[in-house]
Amino acid sequence: MARKKDNLEFRYYDIPHGEPLLALYGDDWIRPYGYDKNLKPIVDLHFHNLMEVGWCCYGAGEIVLEGRSVPYHDGTLTVIPKNYPHTTNAAQAKLNKWQYLFLDMDKTVQELYPDNRRLAERLLYRTNKNACCTSKEEQPVLFVLMSQIFREMQEHGELYRESVNGLLKALVIEIARLNQELIPEEKTQGKAKKSELAQIARSLEYVGDFCDRPLKISELAEVCHMSETHFRRLFVSCMGIHPNDYINQMRIKKACELLKKTNQSVAEISMKCGFCSSATFNRNFRKFMGTTPNEWKKLPENYERRLSENTIAYHDGW
């Protein structure tokens, strides 16, 4: 018998036209979080279409992040990616005060780095990887940036949008820094010499576009207008790995996205990502990720796939 689906609530938020983000603050946000108007507990988790960055001004309770509970108190800061199931429960239904920033992280990062697609992808990977619960003592820079953004959005002074856009760029970097784990591409490209990287840049883009089909090193050499021998030597010198390993690395990166966001089988994903067999896929997945595909998709940060396992109720944001 199929498992009964749990209930999830989808809350949709609109960023006002012309504004860089949506800021929610003031007395309206003093409430017994996790309880309805009759003080009956709200048991369902919810998720948003935007990233939520929160600040607990006062109060205490717990934040439920998928399957784990994290205590919060005065000064707690939270970063919740879009589509991440969660809820906030005030202790003993007491009044708590929170303030929130809602960001369209995809749009923000693409606007910040329109000419650097790879940097934008790395920042999005790190900022959307997992939910984070920290404090203003642990992350003072994050707290100061949030405080300044709230002040600008409240006062609406001269050039406030320009000020918020500048603060927002710094905020994105701080959120990315919360997750110190580098993706494989960051590790390898850190070794690259800029002049050499420019010579093989077209091959990196080519792999990104066509890694889901069979690729030969001769193809990559051709798009870079050099011999296969010279290309292979330059690639290894620049990236620190063999071209075939880089191709498989990008295939595994694509596979991780599918494992994270869909319920497709490992066999289906291995074929979609350009692997000739599940055995080859599993071997390469363990090589780059240190575990099996089935174990990896159970990790807490791989939350988006599980949205399809729940019954979704739609609501406009508060």
Side-chain angles (χ1 to χ4, degrees):
M1 179 181 295
R3 181 180 66 86
K4 181 182 177 182
K5 290 190 173 185
D6 296 325
N7 293 322
L8 276 180
E9 182 182 288
F10 173 50
R11 296 180 182 173
Y12 181 85
Y13 291 84
D14 261 329
I15 294 177
H17 180 70
E19 297 287 5
L21 48 78
L22 172 65
L24 303 180
Y25 50 83
D27 291 345
D28 287 345
W29 306 101
I30 302 174
R31 57 181 65 186
Y33 286 86
Y35 295 83
D36 63 18
K37 60 183 179 181
N38 298 315
L39 295 184
K40 181 179 177 181
I42 300 171
V43 298
D44 296 336
L45 302 182
H46 66 272
F47 61 99
H48 313 124
N49 60 309
L50 301 172
M51 172 174 280
E52 174 194 287
V53 184
W55 164 25
C56 178
C57 303
Y58 62 76
E62 66 169 4
I63 299 172
V64 181
L65 302 172
E66 275 233 295
R68 60 192 176 102
S69 296
V70 181
Y72 73 82
H73 48 76
D74 299 6
T76 290
L77 308 178
T78 58
V79 178
I80 313 292
K82 68 176 183 179
N83 295 336
Y84 195 104
H86 67 286
T87 194
T88 303
N89 297 321
Q92 300 175 342
K94 292 184 178 180
L95 294 177
N96 288 191
K97 182 177 181 180
W98 281 81
Q99 295 189 163
Y100 297 101
L101 300 174
F102 284 92
L103 324 174
D104 185 338
M105 188 60 76
D106 292 353
K107 182 174 181 289
T108 298
V109 170
Q110 289 165 8
E111 288 179 349
L112 289 175
Y113 302 101
D115 301 319
N116 195 332
R117 180 169 61 90
R118 294 187 180 281
L119 176 58
E121 287 178 352
R122 292 200 295 273
L123 283 175
L124 285 174
Y125 175 88
R126 293 177 67 161
T127 55
N128 290 322
K129 182 176 175 61
N130 202 359
C132 176
C133 187
T134 182
S135 69
K136 63 181 184 181
E137 291 79 20
E138 294 174 339
Q139 299 293 333
V141 175
L142 182 66
F143 176 69
V144 169
L145 291 170
M146 291 175 63
S147 300
Q148 291 178 321
I149 290 174
F150 278 120
R151 179 174 59 81
E152 292 285 358
M153 295 300 291
Q154 286 175 297
E155 296 178 358
H156 277 209
E158 183 182 9
L159 299 175
Y160 81 91
R161 290 188 181 91
E162 288 74 14
S163 175
V164 171
N165 278 323
L167 293 166
L168 187 53
K169 184 173 183 178
L171 185 70
V172 168
I173 300 302
E174 284 304 308
I175 292 173
R177 285 173 173 169
L178 290 177
N179 180 11
Q180 295 298 320
E181 179 186 346
L182 301 181
I183 61 177
E185 190 175 358
E186 284 182 300
K187 298 176 183 177
T188 56
Q189 288 194 359
K191 304 175 183 178
K193 301 175 184 177
K194 290 184 178 179
S195 60
E196 293 179 344
L197 183 58
Q199 295 179 59
I200 65 168
R202 293 187 65 184
S203 72
L204 302 181
E205 294 179 2
Y206 193 84
V207 171
D209 292 337
F210 302 109
C211 65
D212 58 347
R213 66 168 177 79
L215 285 177
K216 295 181 179 180
I217 297 178
S218 58
E219 289 180 67
L220 305 183
E222 185 176 350
V223 299
C224 294
H225 306 291
M226 61 182 70
S227 71
E228 182 176 339
T229 300
H230 179 60
F231 170 78
R232 185 186 296 109
R233 183 168 58 247
L234 185 62
F235 194 99
V236 172
S237 172
C238 182
M239 301 297 290
I241 59 174
H242 191 277
N244 283 334
D245 285 333
Y246 180 80
I247 293 170
N248 286 330
Q249 190 180 81
M250 293 303 100
R251 287 171 173 164
I252 294 301
K253 179 181 175 183
K254 180 179 179 180
C256 286
E257 287 300 307
L258 293 174
L259 286 167
K260 179 179 177 181
K261 297 181 179 180
T262 76
N263 277 323
Q264 296 176 38
S265 69
V266 170
E268 289 176 308
I269 290 174
S270 67
M271 294 297 291
K272 284 189 175 182
C273 294
F275 289 98
C276 59
S277 69
S278 295
T280 303
F281 172 61
N282 289 332
R283 183 172 65 253
N284 278 279
F285 198 96
R286 182 178 285 278
K287 175 180 178 180
F288 291 111
M289 305 305 295
T291 187
T292 67
N294 285 323
E295 288 300 317
W296 186 86
K297 67 182 181 181
K298 296 176 184 177
L299 297 176
E301 59 264 33
N302 303 320
Y303 52 87
E304 290 184 292
R305 174 187 59 84
R306 290 189 284 278
L307 295 182
S308 62
E309 299 173 359
N310 298 270
T311 300
I312 308 299
Y314 175 90
H315 294 273
D316 284 330
W318 285 321

